[in-house]
Amino acid sequence: MQQVQGRLIKSLSFSRLPLSLPPASSSTLQRFSSSHPKGVAKVVLKKGKTQLFKDGSPMVYSGAVDRIIGRPPPKTGDIVLVADGTEKPIGWGLYNSVSMFCVRLMQLEEEAARDPSCVLDMEKLLETRINAAIELRRGLGLPSATTNAYRLVNSEGDRLSGLIVDVFGDLAVVASSAAWVEKYKSQVKACIRSIDEINHIHWRPSVEILKEEGVDASHLKELHPSTCPQRTKVTENGISYAISLEGQKTGFYADQRENRMFLSTISNGRKVLDICCYSGGFSLNAVKRGALSVTGVDTSLPAIELARENIALNNLDPGKISFLKEDANAFMKAALSRNESWDIVILDPPKLAPSKKGAASMAGRKITVVREAGAACDHPIDPSYPEGAYLSNVLLRVL
């Protein structure tokens, strides 16, 4: 699956490159690196590991590395060449001396040969990739009169591994989860400031992940107090949302836009339960498009308060939608004891293993989702409904 994803990313990326003359017989990267004033270290891959990265996998894990050539050795954030076993470069990227991902690949040899303007130049590459991301979203109609909340940069999806940028009206929230993003912070901000609609930038480092990247947590604090507003309002698919930047991730799950729109098309006349509802994105779409009733459940009081604020913001009938601060497991056990059921259940829980330590604690345990549609419902599943959209009872069990 990783190889398939890598090939897809690679094919999409190459489709955006301008046509040019065939590359010269010698390596473009080798020529550029030989004239680099500071010299460029070379990360040589083990035998049999090269093809995975040629196919587009963006992160070179430490177990794939055979040796590093360069004196002094490269430091975290340095530009390095990535080479096959014969020491022939296949691409270049940014090095990390402590992360399990020792290189985040930025450009392959074929790309460098087609368009050498960004070779070994991270500032130029940032500008090029972010501009490409802007044009891609504009081609998809973002932003628009009905939607001004969207993901502008989607990490590996836009060939900038570790960088996410979400746009909320005139505010951009940057989620940084790689050491190189922190190193090029000023350049990232400069690229985003160049966007006409953006007036504010909120920098949000993923502290725990960055610690694993070797970044000193004390360096993640802003040197100057931020003038960025901590709350804003946006529109998505014609529905208004209050957003708090103190909430989870970037403050709003813009990447769920299409799923929320889909839910709105199947909610008319249905009874809906939204587990882990956060600020009510799915719930609002359901009731706005004719759901008989909607119940949202979340353990976060600030999230529930935002969700309730969003009811008033959209002039919705509070008799048809309610938000409860309650533990999801406790709520579902109580509902099961009451033999209560819903036509549609949305279950979008937080990640189970937020860190390496958490992931390790999950080892040897099995997660199963038991679907019992119709078991506690007065009517069976309608086979005309899209699969997965119509759940009468969902049990999440960690064994």
Side-chain angles (χ1 to χ4, degrees), residues 15-90:
S15 69
R16 301 181 196 173
L17 295 173
L19 295 175
S20 60
L21 295 174
S25 56
S26 61
S27 166
T28 300
L29 292 177
Q30 196 68 60
R31 294 200 310 273
F32 272 79
S33 63
S34 62
S35 60
H36 198 278
K38 295 183 180 180
V40 183
K42 190 178 290 185
V43 175
V44 182
L45 300 172
K46 291 179 180 177
K47 183 179 180 181
K49 300 294 184 180
T50 303
Q51 195 60 45
L52 174 65
F53 306 106
K54 279 188 173 183
D55 285 342
S57 184
M59 292 181 284
V60 178
Y61 51 95
S62 56
V65 175
D66 180 58
R67 61 191 183 277
I68 298 175
I69 301 173
R71 291 288 181 272
K75 299 176 183 177
T76 294
D78 284 354
I79 289 173
V80 295
L81 295 177
V82 176
D84 62 19
T86 66
E87 299 183 12
K88 179 181 178 181
I90 67 164

Side-chain angles (χ1 to χ4, degrees), residues 130-258:
I130 290 177
N131 284 339
I134 293 170
E135 290 306 311
L136 177 61
R137 273 64 180 184
R138 286 178 178 167
L140 296 171
L142 296 169
S144 69
T146 58
T147 300
N148 63 359
Y150 61 99
R151 179 151 292 179
L152 174 63
V153 177
N154 190 26
S155 195
E156 288 84 9
D158 288 293
R159 309 292 309 287
L160 291 170
S161 177
L163 174 65
I164 285 176
V165 182
D166 282 345
V167 174
F168 306 125
D170 70 343
L171 166 66
V173 181
V174 181
S176 160
S177 61
W180 77 262
V181 179
E182 293 297 317
K183 177 176 180 177
Y184 288 92
K185 181 175 181 178
S186 60
Q187 290 87 348
V188 171
K189 283 187 171 183
C191 290
I192 297 172
R193 285 196 191 99
S194 68
I195 304 171
D196 291 338
E197 308 93 77
I198 303 301
N199 294 320
H200 305 283
I201 298 175
H202 180 75
W203 194 270
R204 188 158 187 172
S206 300
V207 177
E208 294 306 316
I209 296 176
L210 288 169
K211 285 181 182 178
E212 294 176 357
E213 286 269 307
V215 178
D216 187 339
S218 64
H219 294 164
L220 299 177
K221 297 178 181 178
E222 292 278 2
L223 295 177
H224 306 286
S226 175
T227 58
C228 181
Q230 292 301 301
R231 284 175 64 90
T232 189
K233 293 179 182 178
V234 298
T235 302
E236 181 193 85
N237 296 328
I239 297 177
S240 298
Y241 297 89
I243 292 177
S244 171
L245 301 189
E246 296 176 354
Q248 301 179 47
K249 296 191 176 179
T250 58
F252 185 73
Y253 296 101
D255 53 341
Q256 290 278 21
R257 180 180 60 254
E258 300 305 321

